[in-house]
Amino acid sequence: MIIKNFRLFFKTPLYYLFAIILIIVFLATRLYNVSNSLEFFVDIGRDHLVLLEWWNSGKIPLLGPGISYFSLHLPPIYFYLNFPIFLISGFSPYSTFITVLIIYISVFLAGIILLPKKEYKIVVLIVALLIS
């Protein structure tokens, strides 16, 4: 009975209204007083120097940001996703914040679209668990 009603919930406008309210609450909590709450750490400066070097030299970075605990590097997809926002924002230190915000909202919207589909339910729940 509960599962049947839960499946019907995905087909109602209330489901989409709930999703819109969640996005508004997410944006409100993230964007409230961001100029005072966002701290500029060393790794953001290092990453912006890599992006600025990419812009000046035209050489695409093949290694991602380094991890301070071990001598490992993350994949460079972080730079590839951050670079357009870095250019659009005029080399602003807020570009990393904006990029992460766009990624979170995109993943949330993909989850809202895919969650009602039965074959993607496990994948969406695993991604939601990993991103939270």
Side-chain angles (χ1 to χ4, degrees):
M1 182 73 167
I2 294 174
I3 294 175
K4 186 176 182 181
N5 291 336
F6 188 67
R7 287 183 186 158
L8 291 175
F9 176 69
F10 290 126
K11 298 178 181 177
T12 64
L14 186 62
Y15 173 67
Y16 296 103
L17 178 66
F18 182 67
I20 290 171
I21 289 171
L22 278 177
I23 290 174
I24 290 171
V25 168
F26 172 75
L27 288 175
T29 56
R30 291 290 178 166
L31 296 175
Y32 175 73
N33 204 10
V34 72
S35 60
N36 290 331
S37 64
L38 183 69
E39 296 182 13
F40 189 82
F41 291 112
V42 177
D43 57 345
I44 294 175
R46 177 201 61 210
D47 298 343
H48 284 210
L49 284 175
V50 171
L51 293 173
L52 194 58
E53 183 180 332
W54 180 7
W55 173 252
N56 288 332
S57 69
K59 293 181 181 177
I60 297 174
L62 300 177
L63 273 178
I67 300 173
S68 59
Y69 300 119
F70 306 109
S71 61
L72 298 174
H73 289 272
L74 296 174
I77 191 159
Y78 169 77
F79 292 133
Y80 304 155
L81 292 174
N82 200 1
F83 191 66
I85 305 298
F86 185 68
L87 294 178
I88 291 170
S89 67
F91 309 113
S92 171
Y94 290 108
S95 65
T96 303
F97 173 75
I98 295 168
T99 303
V100 170
L101 202 66
I102 290 171
I103 290 170
Y104 280 169
I105 290 174
S106 301
V107 169
F108 178 77
L109 290 175
I112 290 297
I113 292 168
L114 294 176
L115 191 59
K117 296 176 176 36
K118 193 174 186 178
E119 59 271 8
Y120 296 115
K121 194 169 289 194
I122 298 297
V123 174
V124 170
L125 293 175
I126 289 172
V127 168
L129 179 66
L130 289 175
I131 205 166
S132 63

